[in-house]
Structures are given as C-alpha cells and as structure tokens.
Amino acid sequence: MKRILVIDDAATVRLYHRGILESAGFTVIEAVNGLEALERVANMTFDLYLVDINMPKLDGYGFLRELRSKDIPQAPAIMVSTEAAANDQKLAYASGANLYLIKPVRPQRLLSHVLTLLGLTLPNPDHSL
C-alpha cells in the first residue's frame, strides 16, 4: 500500500485530503508543519508528499528544500496552496515540488494527479493500492 504524507497546519484540510486518499486505498500520515514532517521522514519512507505552503515553524518551501537535500530515496511532492500568484508556483518548483495545485482541489483532480505521479491507475474496487 502506498504511503502519503499530508502536511498542512489546518486540521480540516488534512481531514479532507485524508478522506480522498484513503478512499482510494492509500495510507495517509499527517504532519502539522514542515518540522513535524521532517521528523516523520526520519522514521519512515513515503511514496508521495502533499504539502501546504503557509505553515508555522517551517513552511512548505523550507520543508521541500530540506527534504530534497537529504540523501534518501526521493518521492514526488505536490504543493497545494491558496497562494495563486505565478511567483508562488515558481518558488514551489524551485523548492522541489513536482506539481503545484491551488486550493480547494476537487477530489477527482487531486486523485488523478496523485495516481499519475505514482505511475498508477485506479484499482478495481476489490483491490487496494
């Protein structure tokens, strides 16, 4: 089963993303900011990261820069934010994001991008990812 780390300081956003991803058969681990996310990364491996930009202690840009500097297997990262300026998207890619989406993301759109980045297709209802 593929493991996804959802990093967002808003509990409602984490719950929303968790519901979408778990309904597709993914295992979801949560972190409330970039520092907590780095702690999770130190203890387990992930297949994909879903990262907010604006968070206390360590924002999404800082998390991705730190993650990408580590000598560990690298997984794709989707940055999801309310920030819609072109510069925000540019900074996200420069920090190491593979994709930039603007909140709120419709469930099917999020799932489609996650599956594409993981090289998967929607499984049969009887099979988990």
Side-chain angles (χ1 to χ4, degrees), residues 82-122:
T82 56
E83 305 298 331
N87 191 51
D88 295 309
Q89 186 171 345
K90 187 177 175 181
L91 283 170
Y93 289 126
S95 299
N98 298 87
L99 185 64
Y100 186 87
L101 300 174
I102 297 169
K103 291 178 187 175
V105 180
R106 289 193 318 259
Q108 195 54 42
R109 183 164 189 244
L110 176 62
L111 197 52
S112 173
H113 288 302
V114 166
L115 292 169
T116 298
L117 285 171
L118 292 174
L120 301 171
T121 57
L122 268 177

Side-chain angles (χ1 to χ4, degrees), residues 29-117:
I29 308 296
E30 298 179 13
V32 298
N33 59 51
L35 286 178
E36 187 175 294
L38 289 172
E39 290 174 9
R40 303 269 189 273
V41 169
N43 294 313
M44 62 182 75
T45 59
F46 294 94
D47 299 291
L48 187 132
Y49 302 94
L50 196 58
V51 186
D52 183 30
I53 291 177
N54 297 314
M55 297 178 288
K57 297 185 181 177
L58 183 62
D59 67 12
Y61 301 132
F63 165 74
L64 282 179
R65 283 192 301 270
E66 182 67 25
L67 177 72
R68 297 307 190 213
S69 73
K70 292 186 174 300
D71 186 22
I72 60 172
Q74 295 291 326
I78 301 174
M79 191 158 271
V80 185
S81 181
T82 56
E83 305 298 331
N87 191 51
D88 295 309
Q89 186 171 345
K90 187 177 175 181
L91 283 170
Y93 289 126
S95 299
N98 298 87
L99 185 64
Y100 186 87
L101 300 174
I102 297 169
K103 291 178 187 175
V105 180
R106 289 193 318 259
Q108 195 54 42
R109 183 164 189 244
L110 176 62
L111 197 52
S112 173
H113 288 302
V114 166
L115 292 169
T116 298
L117 285 171

